[in-house]
Amino acid sequence: MKVDVITAFPEMIDQALGASIVGRARKAGILKLGFVNPRDFTTDKHKTIDDRPYGGGPGMLMMAEPLHQAIKKVRKKTSVVILTSPRGQTFSQQLAKKLAKKRHLIFVCGHYEGIDARIYPEVDLEVSLGDFILTGGELATCAMIDAVTRLRPGTFKKDGVTSSESFEENLLEAPQYTRPEVWRGKRVPAVLLGGNHKEIEKWKHEQALALTKKLRPDLLCKASPKQDTVKKKKTSTKK
């Protein structure tokens, strides 16, 4: 998979995704990560990418032309352009799975008070991590790239690592334990020590259901997430 990130602060993402599992995926060529800085498409000596909004208001907006040129540089027919935006649909595991099947993702990191609204037609998908505001879209982009990369074949040495995690079938993951068998007087549940895989799976499902009811009952009421779509909008070719 190729992922290009349009950001004025590429070091925030490059460093964060340079270690651990995603870092290994990059070294192995499973994830090819590139960066495009909108400052490279400015014409003034200060490389300005933001300006005051028409009509007044606090803060600055990212200008349309540098973003347009940055998207244009890396966009292909197979690309999905994703804007980090507080007005976007909430990112989910289901959406991560759909994005993991794509060949080329382009993340546009919003910053400052937002972007010039004339850029929205060039975006295929607007995504938010939740109902809170970050300084910019870089950290949100890191989280989404991490979630997507770990679903790509070859990221993990063992197959099936991601198939029994939290949010699969709208359930949280059952409690897990490792050695020692007794820690500070607390024992590992006996069923996990018996070797009966059928009973273990039954126990895990019961525990997952109970934990979900206690901590995230909203997941049990969740229908098929129709909002998690990556349908591409028709983009205008007019300049």
Side-chain angles (χ1 to χ4, degrees), residues 58-151:
M60 308 285 276
L61 291 180
M62 295 188 76
M63 300 164 69
E65 186 62 18
L67 288 177
H68 165 74
Q69 292 294 344
I71 294 171
K72 182 180 177 181
K73 180 178 180 179
V74 290
R75 187 170 202 160
K76 304 177 179 65
K77 289 183 179 180
T78 58
S79 303
V80 177
V81 181
I82 303 162
L83 173 67
T84 58
S85 168
R87 75 178 201 177
Q89 68 180 70
T90 303
F91 189 68
S92 67
Q93 187 69 6
Q94 288 73 27
L95 181 54
K97 286 181 177 180
K98 292 180 180 180
L99 293 177
K101 297 176 182 178
K102 302 299 179 181
R103 295 175 59 186
H104 184 213
L105 302 178
I106 300 172
F107 285 91
V108 181
C109 297
H111 217 85
Y112 310 110
E113 286 299 312
I115 67 170
D116 189 308
R118 290 169 288 189
I119 286 295
Y120 288 123
E122 301 188 28
V123 173
D124 299 314
L125 191 65
E126 294 180 54
V127 184
S128 168
L129 286 190
D131 295 337
F132 57 93
I133 304 299
L134 295 169
T135 304
E138 285 75 19
L139 294 180
T141 294
C142 282
M144 288 188 275
I145 293 175
D146 184 293
V148 169
T149 301
R150 65 195 312 280
L151 295 172

Side-chain angles (χ1 to χ4, degrees), residues 177-197:
Y177 305 84
T178 188
R179 293 169 178 77
E181 183 179 329
V182 181
W183 177 77
R184 294 180 179 265
K186 298 178 181 180
R187 289 183 171 275
V188 174
V191 65
L192 299 178
L193 307 174
N196 187 324
H197 295 292

